[in-house]
Amino acid sequence: MKKFIIISFVFVMLLSLSAMASETRVRTMGENNNVLLDDANIWLYPSRILDYPNLATAELGYDDNEFDQLGVNWKLDDESVLGTYFSTRSRYYDYYETSSYYGNADERIDVFYGTNLSGNRFGVHLNFAQYSTKYENDTINIPSDLYFNGYNGNSENGASYANLTVGLTEASGQWDVALNFGFGSFSDINDTGFAETEPDGINNIALYGRYFQIKNPNYTLIHHVRIFSEKYGEKDNFTNISVVDKNVGFDIGSGFNFTPSSHVLGVFDLGIMYTKSTTEVTGATNDPTTKNFTLPYFKMGFDGEVFKWLDVRFGSTSYWDNRKIENGDVTYTRKYADNMTYFGLGFNWNNLHVDTEANPDFFLAGPDFLSGAGEDMAWKLSVTYDM
């Protein structure tokens, strides 16, 4: 009983620091979504949506300074929360950049649902993207000589992808687990009704989890792990050759939250990552393979209150990468460090919270009307309102 009370107290304290947080806060604290308690956690562990009911969030600046995402968590009753998010992002183009079919895949909706299940918290997250164009009997745009040679004006082009994450959070919030899997397809039918290319396996699956080990009310260890597999296969029906891209890997690490006072939070994460990427081509004797071993990576962040209405944040990441590319008898190796730093400001007015990834050059050069430097004040902005 005593342990449960301590765990509950620590989680209430941590949540008080992050209840009105955002993607931007996580980013400016060193990309530490896995070792922070934050409303952005729902994208990893959908069962966490029960911690953030009646919340509206707007994300700006993800790409080309756009207002690119709006979401609301609706509290249905004391035991269930529904989240609806709409976005202009094209995340599947990032996943399958070797394919042109997902470049225009419209993000239809992200739906979250969380409820209590036998004392624990259960959540699901469904994302669906789809686009298509189809012509039937389009003889107007086809020259007559082609029409009489099999071109009938019936063509189709499109792509779709569905992604589902199922998550579970222990009653006191001490651990989270989630299983993610998705499936995709596309169509590429020309004006003769012939499928020039077709899918040859498009899917992904991932399993991840984290465990909070309470040391004392100010210090908590977080252990986390993720394993994943992704596949994109495309068959050319003219040549009968399939090209299949596969990615498999894992990410394992341990970090900590340090709260010396109720208005200061420090986070640190240390881990290793491994990814193996292979391109398999029908009839090829050698399949190009890329192995990337990050040993180790560091993520660090700080969040402190300056005034009641102002928070300051710093973050950094360092990935010590070891990359090896094998293609037949040719081998390429590279060892390097990929370091990034972040600076953020958070503004709080009653129920409204604005998190920014600030542009340091703006503060160094000054506003444009003084310096003429033309620097943006912020690169990314998140607006959260507690309803």
Side-chain angles (χ1 to χ4, degrees), residues 117-171:
L117 181 66
S118 301
N120 297 314
R121 285 168 277 176
F122 174 78
V124 295
H125 167 210
L126 175 65
N127 169 265
F128 178 65
Q130 188 268 340
Y131 86 100
S132 65
T133 57
K134 186 176 182 178
Y135 290 93
E136 295 179 315
N137 302 315
D138 182 27
T139 58
I140 296 176
N141 296 316
I142 300 177
S144 59
D145 58 332
L146 294 180
Y147 179 71
F148 289 111
N149 282 281
Y151 283 72
N152 54 22
N154 296 324
S155 63
E156 184 176 349
N157 180 270
S160 62
Y161 208 98
N163 210 313
L164 179 67
T165 304
V166 180
L168 187 68
T169 298
E170 189 263 341

Side-chain angles (χ1 to χ4, degrees), residues 248-316:
V248 295
F250 66 85
D251 179 346
I252 184 170
S254 291
F256 64 80
N257 287 342
F258 178 60
T259 53
S261 69
S262 60
H263 301 296
V264 176
L265 172 64
V267 294
F268 187 85
D269 193 21
L270 171 66
I272 60 174
M273 288 191 303
Y274 174 79
T275 303
K276 179 181 178 182
S277 303
T278 304
T279 300
E280 299 176 354
V281 181
T282 302
T285 56
N286 295 293
D287 296 324
T289 300
T290 300
K291 299 176 182 178
N292 197 77
F293 194 19
T294 304
L295 180 66
Y297 65 76
F298 304 90
K299 299 179 181 181
M300 183 169 60
F302 168 84
D303 183 350
E305 181 183 284
V306 181
F307 305 107
K308 290 291 185 182
W309 56 270
L310 177 64
D311 299 323
V312 64
R313 300 176 186 127
F314 307 103
S316 63

Side-chain angles (χ1 to χ4, degrees), residues 52-289:
Y52 308 101
N54 292 338
L55 204 65
T57 304
E59 301 289 348
L60 298 84
Y62 179 83
D63 185 31
D64 295 331
N65 296 318
E66 292 182 351
F67 178 11
D68 53 79
Q69 183 168 279
L70 175 64
V72 178
N73 297 345
W74 313 89
K75 183 178 180 180
L76 303 180
D77 53 45
D78 290 339
E79 294 192 349
S80 57
V81 177
L82 174 70
T84 52
Y85 287 71
F86 295 92
S87 173
T88 63
R89 305 174 184 180
S90 296
R91 72 194 71 183
Y92 296 113
Y93 182 74
D94 296 331
Y95 289 164
Y96 303 112
E97 58 187 15
T98 56
S99 167
S100 61
Y101 301 105
Y102 291 95
N104 297 314
D106 301 315
E107 296 281 340
R108 296 302 177 97
I109 192 172
D110 284 276
V111 178
F112 297 83
Y113 178 73
T115 188
N116 284 316
L117 181 66
S118 301
N120 297 314
R121 285 168 277 176
F122 174 78
V124 295
H125 167 210
L126 175 65
N127 169 265
F128 178 65
Q130 188 268 340
Y131 86 100
S132 65
T133 57
K134 186 176 182 178
Y135 290 93
E136 295 179 315
N137 302 315
D138 182 27
T139 58
I140 296 176
N141 296 316
I142 300 177
S144 59
D145 58 332
L146 294 180
Y147 179 71
F148 289 111
N149 282 281
Y151 283 72
N152 54 22
N154 296 324
S155 63
E156 184 176 349
N157 180 270
S160 62
Y161 208 98
N163 210 313
L164 179 67
T165 304
V166 180
L168 187 68
T169 298
E170 189 263 341
S172 68
Q174 192 168 12
W175 52 258
D176 303 278
V177 293
L179 174 65
N180 165 258
F181 53 93
F183 302 92
S185 185
F186 66 83
S187 58
D188 180 24
I189 301 173
N190 64 22
D191 289 317
T192 68
F194 177 70
E196 297 185 0
T197 59
E198 64 182 44
D200 190 12
I202 302 174
N203 54 71
N204 68 273
I205 186 169
L207 176 66
Y208 34 92
R210 62 181 178 178
Y211 178 81
F212 292 82
Q213 183 180 1
I214 312 299
K215 289 299 184 180
N216 58 57
N218 303 109
Y219 181 66
T220 303
L221 288 175
I222 303 98
H223 312 288
H224 57 89
V225 63
R226 179 175 71 105
I227 55 175
F228 64 92
S229 174
E230 300 170 346
K231 177 184 178 182
Y232 178 85
E234 182 179 318
K235 181 182 178 182
D236 187 326
N237 287 326
F238 286 114
T239 62
N240 205 33
I241 292 177
S242 289
V243 178
V244 180
D245 293 315
K246 295 180 178 180
N247 296 312
V248 295
F250 66 85
D251 179 346
I252 184 170
S254 291
F256 64 80
N257 287 342
F258 178 60
T259 53
S261 69
S262 60
H263 301 296
V264 176
L265 172 64
V267 294
F268 187 85
D269 193 21
L270 171 66
I272 60 174
M273 288 191 303
Y274 174 79
T275 303
K276 179 181 178 182
S277 303
T278 304
T279 300
E280 299 176 354
V281 181
T282 302
T285 56
N286 295 293
D287 296 324
T289 300

Side-chain angles (χ1 to χ4, degrees), residues 11 14-22 25-26 33 36-43 45-57 71-75 80-83 85 112 121 169 176 210 212 384-387:
F11 275 93
L14 291 175
L15 283 169
S16 70
L17 290 168
S18 59
M20 310 315 151
S22 63
R25 176 177 178 267
V26 166
N33 198 10
L36 279 170
L37 283 173
D38 190 287
D39 69 82
N41 287 171
I42 66 173
W43 298 93
Y45 308 104
S47 49
R48 283 287 175 177
I49 195 171
L50 288 166
D51 294 330
Y52 308 101
N54 292 338
L55 204 65
T57 304
V72 178
N73 297 345
W74 313 89
K75 183 178 180 180
S80 57
V81 177
L82 174 70
Y85 287 71
F112 297 83
R121 285 168 277 176
T169 298
D176 303 278
R210 62 181 178 178
F212 292 82
T384 304
Y385 189 84
D386 177 20
M387 301 184 296

